[in-house]
Structure formats: structure tokens, C-alpha cells
Coordinates of all heavy atoms in Angstrom, one line a residue:
M1 N 47.8 349.2 60.2 CA 48.7 348.2 60.9 C 48.7 346.9 60.0 O 47.7 346.4 59.5 CB 48.1 347.8 62.2 CG 48.8 346.7 62.9 SD 48.2 346.2 64.6 CE 46.6 346.8 64.8
R2 N 49.9 346.4 59.8 CA 50.1 345.2 59.0 C 50.1 344.0 59.9 O 50.8 344.0 60.9 CB 51.4 345.3 58.2 CG 51.7 344.1 57.3 CD 53.0 344.2 56.6 NE 53.3 343.0 55.9 CZ 53.8 341.9 56.4 NH1 54.2 341.9 57.7 NH2 54.0 340.8 55.7
L3 N 49.3 342.9 59.5 CA 49.2 341.7 60.4 C 49.6 340.5 59.5 O 49.1 340.4 58.4 CB 47.8 341.5 60.9 CG 47.4 342.5 62.0 CD1 45.9 342.1 62.4 CD2 48.2 342.4 63.2
D4 N 50.5 339.7 60.0 CA 50.8 338.4 59.4 C 49.7 337.5 59.6 O 48.9 337.6 60.6 CB 52.1 337.8 59.9 CG 53.3 338.7 59.5 OD1 53.2 339.3 58.4 OD2 54.2 338.8 60.3
L5 N 49.5 336.5 58.8 CA 48.4 335.5 59.0 C 48.6 334.8 60.3 O 49.7 334.4 60.7 CB 48.5 334.4 57.9 CG 47.8 334.8 56.5 CD1 48.0 333.6 55.6 CD2 46.4 335.0 56.8
G6 N 47.5 334.6 61.0 CA 47.5 334.0 62.3 C 47.9 334.9 63.5 O 48.0 334.4 64.6
A7 N 48.2 336.1 63.2 CA 48.6 337.0 64.2 C 47.4 337.4 65.2 O 46.3 337.4 64.7 CB 49.2 338.3 63.6
I8 N 47.7 337.6 66.4 CA 46.7 338.1 67.3 C 47.0 339.6 67.5 O 48.1 340.1 67.8 CB 46.9 337.4 68.7 CG1 46.6 335.9 68.5 CG2 45.9 338.0 69.7 CD1 46.9 335.1 69.7
A9 N 45.9 340.4 67.2 CA 46.1 341.9 67.1 C 46.4 342.5 68.5 O 47.2 343.3 68.7 CB 44.8 342.5 66.6
K10 N 45.7 341.9 69.5 CA 45.8 342.5 70.9 C 45.8 341.4 71.9 O 45.1 340.4 71.7 CB 44.6 343.4 71.2 CG 44.9 344.9 70.9 CD 43.9 345.8 71.6 CE 42.5 345.4 71.4 NZ 41.5 346.4 71.9
A11 N 46.6 341.5 72.9 CA 46.6 340.5 74.0 C 45.3 340.6 74.8 O 44.7 341.6 74.9 CB 47.8 340.7 74.9
G12 N 44.8 339.4 75.3 CA 43.7 339.4 76.2 C 42.3 339.4 75.5 O 41.3 339.6 76.2
T13 N 42.3 339.2 74.2 CA 41.0 339.3 73.5 C 40.1 338.1 73.8 O 38.9 338.2 73.7 CB 41.2 339.4 72.0 OG1 42.1 338.3 71.6 CG2 41.8 340.7 71.6
S14 N 40.7 337.0 74.2 CA 39.9 335.8 74.6 C 39.0 336.1 75.8 O 38.0 335.5 76.0 CB 40.7 334.5 74.7 OG 41.6 334.7 75.8
K15 N 39.5 337.0 76.7 CA 38.7 337.3 77.9 C 37.5 338.1 77.5 O 36.4 338.0 78.0 CB 39.6 338.1 78.8 CG 40.3 337.2 79.8 CD 40.6 338.0 81.1 CE 40.7 337.0 82.2 NZ 41.1 337.6 83.5
A16 N 37.7 339.0 76.5 CA 36.6 339.9 76.0 C 35.5 339.1 75.3 O 34.3 339.4 75.3 CB 37.1 341.0 75.2
N17 N 35.9 338.0 74.6 CA 35.0 337.2 73.8 C 34.3 336.1 74.7 O 34.8 335.0 74.8 CB 35.8 336.6 72.7 CG 34.9 335.8 71.7 OD1 33.7 336.1 71.6 ND2 35.5 334.9 70.9
Q18 N 33.2 336.5 75.2 CA 32.5 335.5 76.1 C 31.7 334.5 75.3 O 30.6 334.8 74.8 CB 31.6 336.3 77.1 CG 32.4 337.2 78.0 CD 31.7 337.6 79.2 OE1 30.4 337.5 79.3 NE2 32.4 338.1 80.2
T19 N 32.3 333.3 75.2 CA 31.8 332.3 74.3 C 30.6 331.6 74.8 O 30.0 330.7 74.2 CB 32.9 331.2 74.0 OG1 33.6 330.9 75.2 CG2 33.9 331.8 73.0
G20 N 30.2 332.0 76.0 CA 29.0 331.3 76.6 C 27.7 331.6 75.8 O 26.8 330.8 75.8
G21 N 27.7 332.6 75.0 CA 26.6 332.9 74.1 C 26.4 331.9 73.0 O 25.3 331.9 72.3
W22 N 27.4 331.1 72.7 CA 27.3 330.1 71.6 C 26.6 328.8 72.1 O 26.2 328.0 71.3 CB 28.7 329.6 71.2 CG 29.7 330.7 70.7 CD1 29.4 332.0 70.6 CD2 31.0 330.5 70.4 NE1 30.5 332.6 70.2 CE2 31.5 331.7 70.0 CE3 31.9 329.4 70.3 CZ2 32.8 331.9 69.6 CZ3 33.2 329.6 69.9 CH2 33.7 330.8 69.5
R23 N 26.3 328.7 73.4 CA 25.9 327.4 74.0 C 24.5 327.0 73.6 O 23.6 327.8 73.8 CB 26.1 327.6 75.5 CG 26.2 326.3 76.2 CD 26.6 326.5 77.7 NE 25.7 327.4 78.4 CZ 26.1 328.5 78.9 NH1 27.4 328.9 78.9 NH2 25.3 329.3 79.5
N24 N 24.3 325.8 73.2 CA 23.0 325.2 73.0 C 22.8 324.1 74.1 O 21.7 323.7 74.4 CB 22.8 324.6 71.6 CG 22.7 325.7 70.6 OD1 22.1 326.7 70.8 ND2 23.4 325.5 69.5
F25 N 23.9 323.6 74.6 CA 23.9 322.6 75.6 C 24.7 323.1 76.8 O 25.7 323.8 76.6 CB 24.4 321.2 75.2 CG 23.4 320.5 74.2 CD1 23.6 320.8 72.8 CD2 22.4 319.7 74.6 CE1 22.7 320.2 71.9 CE2 21.5 319.1 73.7 CZ 21.7 319.4 72.4
K26 N 24.3 322.6 78.0 CA 25.0 323.2 79.2 C 25.5 322.0 80.0 O 24.7 321.1 80.3 CB 24.0 324.0 79.9 CG 24.4 324.6 81.2 CD 23.2 325.4 81.7 CE 23.6 326.2 82.9 NZ 22.6 327.1 83.4
P27 N 26.7 322.0 80.5 CA 27.2 320.9 81.4 C 26.7 321.1 82.8 O 26.9 322.2 83.3 CB 28.7 321.0 81.3 CG 29.0 322.4 81.0 CD 27.8 323.0 80.2
I28 N 26.2 320.1 83.4 CA 25.8 320.1 84.8 C 26.8 319.2 85.5 O 26.9 318.0 85.2 CB 24.4 319.6 85.1 CG1 23.4 320.4 84.2 CG2 24.0 319.7 86.5 CD1 23.3 321.9 84.6
F29 N 27.5 319.8 86.5 CA 28.5 319.0 87.3 C 27.7 318.5 88.5 O 27.4 319.3 89.4 CB 29.7 319.8 87.7 CG 30.7 320.0 86.6 CD1 30.3 320.6 85.3 CD2 32.0 319.7 86.7 CE1 31.2 320.7 84.3 CE2 33.0 319.9 85.7 CZ 32.5 320.4 84.5
H30 N 27.4 317.2 88.6 CA 26.6 316.7 89.7 C 27.3 316.7 91.0 O 26.7 316.7 92.1 CB 26.0 315.4 89.3 CG 24.9 315.4 88.3 ND1 23.8 316.1 88.4 CD2 24.9 314.9 87.0 CE1 23.0 316.1 87.3 NE2 23.7 315.3 86.4
Q31 N 28.6 316.6 91.0 CA 29.4 316.5 92.2 C 29.0 315.4 93.1 O 29.0 315.6 94.3 CB 29.4 317.9 92.9 CG 29.9 319.0 92.0 CD 29.8 320.4 92.6 OE1 29.2 320.6 93.7 NE2 30.5 321.3 92.0
K32 N 28.6 314.3 92.5 CA 28.3 313.1 93.4 C 29.3 312.0 93.2 O 29.6 311.3 94.2 CB 26.9 312.6 92.9 CG 25.8 313.5 93.4 CD 24.4 313.0 93.1 CE 23.3 314.0 93.6 NZ 22.1 313.9 92.9
K33 N 29.8 311.8 92.0 CA 30.7 310.7 91.8 C 32.1 311.1 91.4 O 32.9 310.4 91.1 CB 30.2 309.8 90.6 CG 28.8 309.1 90.9 CD 28.4 308.2 89.8 CE 27.9 308.9 88.6 NZ 27.5 308.0 87.5
C34 N 32.3 312.4 91.5 CA 33.6 313.0 91.1 C 34.7 312.4 91.9 O 34.6 312.3 93.1 CB 33.6 314.5 91.3 SG 35.1 315.3 90.8
N35 N 35.8 312.1 91.1 CA 37.0 311.5 91.8 C 38.2 312.4 91.7 O 39.3 312.0 91.9 CB 37.3 310.1 91.2 CG 37.5 310.1 89.7 OD1 37.9 311.2 89.2 ND2 37.3 309.0 89.0
S36 N 38.0 313.6 91.3 CA 39.0 314.6 91.1 C 40.1 314.2 90.1 O 41.3 314.5 90.3 CB 39.7 314.9 92.5 OG 38.8 315.7 93.3
C37 N 39.7 313.5 89.1 CA 40.7 313.1 88.0 C 41.2 314.3 87.3 O 42.3 314.2 86.6 CB 40.1 312.1 87.1 SG 38.9 312.7 86.0
D38 N 40.5 315.4 87.3 CA 40.9 316.7 86.7 C 40.8 316.7 85.2 O 41.2 317.7 84.5 CB 42.4 317.0 87.1 CG 42.6 318.5 87.3 OD1 41.6 319.2 87.7 OD2 43.7 319.0 87.1
L39 N 40.3 315.6 84.6 CA 40.2 315.6 83.1 C 39.3 316.7 82.5 O 39.6 317.3 81.5 CB 39.7 314.2 82.6 CG 40.7 313.1 82.8 CD1 40.0 311.7 82.4 CD2 41.9 313.3 82.1
C40 N 38.2 317.0 83.2 CA 37.3 318.1 82.7 C 38.0 319.4 82.6 O 37.9 320.1 81.6 CB 36.1 318.2 83.6 SG 36.4 318.4 85.3
R41 N 38.8 319.7 83.6 CA 39.6 321.0 83.6 C 40.7 321.0 82.6 O 40.8 321.9 81.8 CB 40.2 321.2 85.0 CG 40.7 322.6 85.2 CD 41.4 322.7 86.5 NE 42.6 321.8 86.6 CZ 43.8 322.1 86.0 NH1 43.9 323.2 85.4 NH2 44.8 321.3 86.1
I42 N 41.4 319.8 82.4 CA 42.5 319.8 81.5 C 42.0 319.8 80.0 O 42.5 320.5 79.2 CB 43.3 318.4 81.7 CG1 44.0 318.5 83.0 CG2 44.2 318.2 80.5 CD1 44.5 317.1 83.5
Y43 N 40.9 319.2 79.7 CA 40.4 319.1 78.3 C 39.5 320.3 77.9 O 39.3 320.5 76.7 CB 39.6 317.8 78.1 CG 40.5 316.6 77.8 CD1 40.8 315.7 78.8 CD2 41.1 316.4 76.6 CE1 41.6 314.6 78.6 CE2 41.9 315.4 76.3 CZ 42.2 314.5 77.3 OH 43.0 313.4 77.1
C44 N 39.0 321.0 78.8 CA 38.1 322.1 78.5 C 38.8 323.1 77.6 O 39.8 323.7 78.0 CB 37.5 322.8 79.7 SG 36.6 324.3 79.2
P45 N 38.4 323.3 76.3 CA 39.1 324.2 75.4 C 39.0 325.7 75.8 O 39.8 326.5 75.3 CB 38.4 323.9 74.0 CG 37.1 323.4 74.4 CD 37.2 322.7 75.7
E46 N 38.0 326.0 76.6 CA 37.9 327.4 77.0 C 38.6 327.7 78.4 O 38.6 328.8 78.8 CB 36.4 327.8 77.2 CG 35.6 327.7 75.8 CD 36.2 328.7 74.8 OE1 36.7 329.8 75.2 OE2 36.3 328.3 73.6
G47 N 39.1 326.7 79.0 CA 39.7 326.9 80.3 C 38.8 327.4 81.4 O 39.2 328.2 82.2
C48 N 37.5 327.0 81.3 CA 36.5 327.6 82.2 C 36.1 326.7 83.3 O 35.1 327.0 84.0 CB 35.4 328.2 81.4 SG 34.4 326.9 80.5
V49 N 36.8 325.5 83.5 CA 36.5 324.6 84.6 C 37.5 324.9 85.7 O 38.7 324.9 85.4 CB 36.5 323.2 84.1 CG1 36.2 322.2 85.3 CG2 35.5 322.9 83.0
T50 N 37.0 325.0 86.9 CA 37.9 325.3 88.0 C 37.6 324.3 89.2 O 36.4 324.0 89.4 CB 37.6 326.7 88.6 OG1 37.6 327.6 87.5 CG2 38.6 327.1 89.6
M51 N 38.6 323.9 89.8 CA 38.4 323.0 91.0 C 38.2 323.9 92.2 O 39.0 324.8 92.5 CB 39.6 322.1 91.3 CG 39.3 321.1 92.4 SD 40.6 319.9 92.6 CE 41.8 320.8 93.7
I52 N 37.1 323.8 92.9 CA 36.8 324.6 94.1 C 37.5 323.9 95.3 O 38.1 324.6 96.1 CB 35.3 324.7 94.4 CG1 34.5 325.1 93.2 CG2 35.0 325.6 95.6 CD1 33.0 324.8 93.4
E53 N 37.3 322.6 95.4 CA 37.9 321.8 96.4 C 38.0 320.4 95.9 O 37.4 320.1 94.8 CB 37.2 321.9 97.8 CG 35.8 321.4 97.7 CD 35.0 321.6 99.0 OE1 34.8 322.8 99.4 OE2 34.6 320.6 99.5
K54 N 38.6 319.5 96.6 CA 38.7 318.1 96.1 C 37.3 317.6 95.8 O 36.4 317.7 96.6 CB 39.4 317.2 97.2 CG 40.1 316.1 96.6 CD 41.0 315.5 97.6 CE 41.5 314.1 97.4 NZ 42.0 313.6 96.3
K55 N 37.1 317.0 94.6 CA 35.8 316.4 94.2 C 34.7 317.4 93.9 O 33.5 317.1 93.9 CB 35.3 315.3 95.2 CG 36.3 314.2 95.3 CD 35.8 313.1 96.2 CE 36.8 311.9 96.3 NZ 36.3 310.8 97.1
K56 N 35.1 318.7 93.8 CA 34.1 319.7 93.5 C 34.6 320.7 92.5 O 35.6 321.4 92.7 CB 33.8 320.5 94.8 CG 32.4 320.4 95.2 CD 32.0 321.3 96.4 CE 30.7 320.8 96.9 NZ 30.3 321.4 98.1
Y57 N 34.0 320.6 91.3 CA 34.4 321.5 90.2 C 33.3 322.4 89.8 O 32.1 322.1 90.0 CB 34.9 320.6 89.0 CG 36.2 320.0 89.2 CD1 36.4 319.0 90.1 CD2 37.3 320.4 88.5 CE1 37.6 318.4 90.3 CE2 38.5 319.8 88.6 CZ 38.7 318.8 89.6 OH 39.9 318.2 89.8
T58 N 33.6 323.6 89.2 CA 32.6 324.5 88.8 C 33.0 325.0 87.4 O 34.1 324.9 87.0 CB 32.5 325.7 89.8 OG1 31.3 326.4 89.4 CG2 33.7 326.5 89.8
V59 N 32.0 325.6 86.7 CA 32.1 326.1 85.4 C 31.8 327.6 85.3 O 30.8 328.0 85.9 CB 31.1 325.4 84.4 CG1 31.3 325.9 83.0 CG2 31.3 323.9 84.4
D60 N 32.6 328.3 84.6 CA 32.3 329.7 84.4 C 31.4 329.7 83.1 O 31.9 329.6 82.0 CB 33.5 330.5 84.2 CG 33.2 332.0 84.0 OD1 32.1 332.4 83.7 OD2 34.2 332.8 84.2
Y61 N 30.1 329.9 83.3 CA 29.2 329.8 82.2 C 29.3 331.0 81.2 O 28.7 330.9 80.1 CB 27.7 329.6 82.6 CG 27.5 328.2 83.2 CD1 27.2 328.0 84.6 CD2 27.5 327.1 82.4 CE1 27.0 326.8 85.1 CE2 27.3 325.8 82.9 CZ 27.0 325.7 84.2 OH 26.8 324.4 84.7
A62 N 30.0 332.0 81.6 CA 30.2 333.1 80.7 C 31.1 332.7 79.5 O 31.0 333.3 78.4 CB 30.8 334.3 81.4
Y63 N 31.9 331.7 79.7 CA 32.8 331.2 78.7 C 32.5 329.8 78.2 O 33.0 329.4 77.2 CB 34.3 331.3 79.2 CG 34.7 332.7 79.5 CD1 34.6 333.3 80.8 CD2 35.1 333.6 78.5 CE1 34.9 334.6 81.0 CE2 35.5 334.9 78.7 CZ 35.4 335.4 80.0 OH 35.7 336.7 80.2
C64 N 31.8 329.0 79.0 CA 31.5 327.6 78.5 C 30.6 327.7 77.3 O 29.5 328.2 77.2 CB 30.7 326.9 79.6 SG 30.0 325.3 79.0
K65 N 31.2 327.1 76.2 CA 30.4 327.1 74.9 C 29.6 325.9 74.7 O 29.0 325.7 73.6 CB 31.4 327.3 73.7 CG 32.5 326.3 73.6 CD 33.5 326.7 72.5 CE 34.6 325.7 72.4 NZ 35.7 326.2 71.6
G66 N 29.6 325.0 75.6 CA 28.7 323.8 75.6 C 29.1 322.7 74.6 O 28.3 321.9 74.1
C67 N 30.5 322.6 74.4 CA 31.0 321.6 73.5 C 30.8 320.2 74.0 O 30.8 319.3 73.1 CB 32.5 321.9 73.2 SG 33.5 321.6 74.6
G68 N 30.7 320.0 75.3 CA 30.5 318.6 75.8 C 31.7 317.8 76.0 O 31.6 316.6 76.4
I69 N 32.9 318.4 75.8 CA 34.1 317.6 75.9 C 34.3 317.1 77.4 O 34.7 316.0 77.6 CB 35.4 318.4 75.4 CG1 35.3 318.6 73.9 CG2 36.7 317.7 75.8 CD1 36.4 319.5 73.3
C70 N 34.0 318.0 78.3 CA 34.2 317.7 79.7 C 33.3 316.4 80.1 O 33.8 315.5 80.7 CB 33.8 318.9 80.6 SG 32.1 319.5 80.3
A71 N 32.1 316.4 79.6 CA 31.2 315.3 79.9 C 31.7 314.0 79.2 O 31.6 312.9 79.8 CB 29.8 315.6 79.4
E72 N 32.2 314.2 78.0 CA 32.7 313.0 77.3 C 34.0 312.4 78.0 O 34.1 311.2 78.0 CB 33.1 313.5 75.8 CG 33.4 312.4 74.8 CD 32.2 311.6 74.5 OE1 31.1 312.1 74.5 OE2 32.4 310.4 74.2
E73 N 34.8 313.3 78.5 CA 36.1 312.8 79.1 C 35.9 312.4 80.6 O 36.8 311.8 81.1 CB 37.1 313.9 79.0 CG 37.5 314.2 77.6 CD 38.1 313.1 76.8 OE1 38.7 312.2 77.5 OE2 38.0 313.0 75.6
C74 N 34.8 312.8 81.2 CA 34.7 312.6 82.7 C 34.8 311.1 83.0 O 34.1 310.3 82.5 CB 33.3 313.1 83.2 SG 33.1 312.8 84.9
S75 N 35.7 310.8 83.9 CA 36.0 309.3 84.1 C 35.0 308.7 85.0 O 35.0 307.5 85.2 CB 37.4 309.2 84.8 OG 37.4 309.9 86.0
S76 N 34.1 309.5 85.6 CA 33.1 308.9 86.5 C 31.6 309.2 86.0 O 30.7 309.1 86.8 CB 33.3 309.3 87.9 OG 33.3 310.7 88.0
S77 N 31.5 309.7 84.8 CA 30.2 310.1 84.2 C 29.4 310.9 85.2 O 28.2 310.7 85.4 CB 29.4 308.8 83.9 OG 30.1 308.0 83.0
D78 N 30.0 311.9 85.7 CA 29.4 312.8 86.7 C 28.9 314.1 86.1 O 28.4 315.0 86.8 CB 30.3 313.0 87.9 CG 29.6 313.5 89.1 OD1 28.5 313.0 89.4 OD2 30.2 314.3 89.9
I79 N 29.2 314.3 84.8 CA 28.8 315.5 84.1 C 27.7 315.2 83.1 O 27.9 314.3 82.3 CB 30.0 316.2 83.4 CG1 31.1 316.4 84.4 CG2 29.6 317.5 82.8 CD1 32.4 316.8 83.8
E80 N 26.6 316.0 83.2 CA 25.5 315.7 82.3 C 25.3 316.9 81.4 O 25.3 318.1 81.9 CB 24.2 315.5 83.1 CG 23.0 315.2 82.3 CD 21.7 315.1 83.2 OE1 21.8 315.3 84.4 OE2 20.7 314.8 82.6
M81 N 25.1 316.7 80.1 CA 24.8 317.8 79.2 C 23.3 317.9 79.0 O 22.6 317.0 78.7 CB 25.4 317.6 77.8 CG 27.0 317.5 77.8 SD 27.8 319.0 78.4 CE 27.4 320.2 77.1
V82 N 22.8 319.1 79.3 CA 21.4 319.4 79.2 C 21.1 320.5 78.2 O 22.0 321.3 77.9 CB 20.7 319.7 80.6 CG1 20.9 318.6 81.6 CG2 21.3 321.0 81.1
V83 N 19.9 320.5 77.6 CA 19.6 321.6 76.7 C 19.6 322.9 77.4 O 19.0 323.1 78.5 CB 18.2 321.3 76.0 CG1 17.8 322.5 75.1 CG2 18.3 320.0 75.2
E84 N 20.2 323.9 76.8 CA 20.3 325.3 77.4 C 18.9 326.0 77.2 O 18.4 326.0 76.1 CB 21.4 326.1 76.7 CG 21.5 327.5 77.0 CD 22.1 327.7 78.4 OE1 23.2 327.2 78.6 OE2 21.5 328.4 79.3
E85 N 18.4 326.5 78.3 CA 17.2 327.3 78.2 C 17.5 328.7 77.8 O 18.4 329.3 78.5 CB 16.5 327.3 79.6 CG 16.3 325.9 80.2 CD 14.9 325.4 80.1 OE1 14.0 326.2 79.9 OE2 14.7 324.1 80.1
K86 N 16.9 329.2 76.8 CA 17.2 330.6 76.3 C 16.0 331.5 76.4 O 14.9 331.1 76.4 CB 17.8 330.6 74.9 CG 19.1 329.9 74.9 CD 19.9 330.2 73.7 CE 21.3 329.5 73.7 NZ 22.2 329.8 72.7
Ligands
SF4_3 S1 31.1 322.1 77.7 FE1 33.0 322.5 76.7 S2 33.4 324.6 77.1 FE2 31.9 324.0 78.6 S3 32.9 323.4 80.4 FE3 32.7 321.5 79.2 S4 34.5 321.4 78.0 FE4 34.4 323.4 78.7
SF4_4 S1 36.3 314.7 84.8 FE1 34.6 314.1 86.2 S2 35.5 312.8 87.8 FE2 37.1 314.0 86.8 S3 37.4 315.9 88.0 FE3 35.9 316.3 86.3 S4 33.9 316.0 87.2 FE4 35.4 315.0 88.5

């Protein structure tokens, strides 16, 4: 099979690649000061932040790579990055 540079060989491969294994730090969503600004969900590069209900967000740790962008962008400092226990 011939592939051009930047081509994706098969659709859906990002689902198979569980980036949670890369994590050295883990985001903890305290759900105490959350104002539902949605920035954590919008900025997460893995798309693994979900709103459960207003002011309550959760992370799919199978895909969270621990980059810390959600904590950096959180408008109410309600997300804490902690060292991942392995
Ligand atoms: S640490 Fe990075 S990958 Fe994990 S939820 Fe936050 S933004 Fe997403
Ligand atoms: S960025 Fe912070 S305040 Fe905004 S929705 Fe996420 S947890 Fe809540």
C-alpha cells in the first residue's frame, strides 16, 4: 500500500491507542469550585474530558496522557496535577 506523507492508514486508530500509559502526572478534578466554563474539555488534546452534569466533569484515564493543559486552563483552579502512582 502506498501512503502519502501525513496519511492516516486506517480510521479509528486514535481509539486503539490508549495514551493513558504515557502519564506521569494525573489530573484530579476536585469539583468544588468548578463554574462549568468548559475550558478543560475544549483544550484537552485527547478529547477525554466529559461533562457529567453542570459543574461536574470527569476524565477518561485510559486516554488522559497527563499533559496538564486542563489544569493550566481551568478558570477556577479546581484541577490539581498529582504524581501518577505506577
Ligand atoms: S491532563 Fe491533558 S490529556 Fe489529561 S485530561 Fe488534562 S488536558 Fe486532557
Ligand atoms: S476548566 Fe475548571 S472551572 Fe472550567 S469546566 Fe473545567 S473544571 Fe470546571
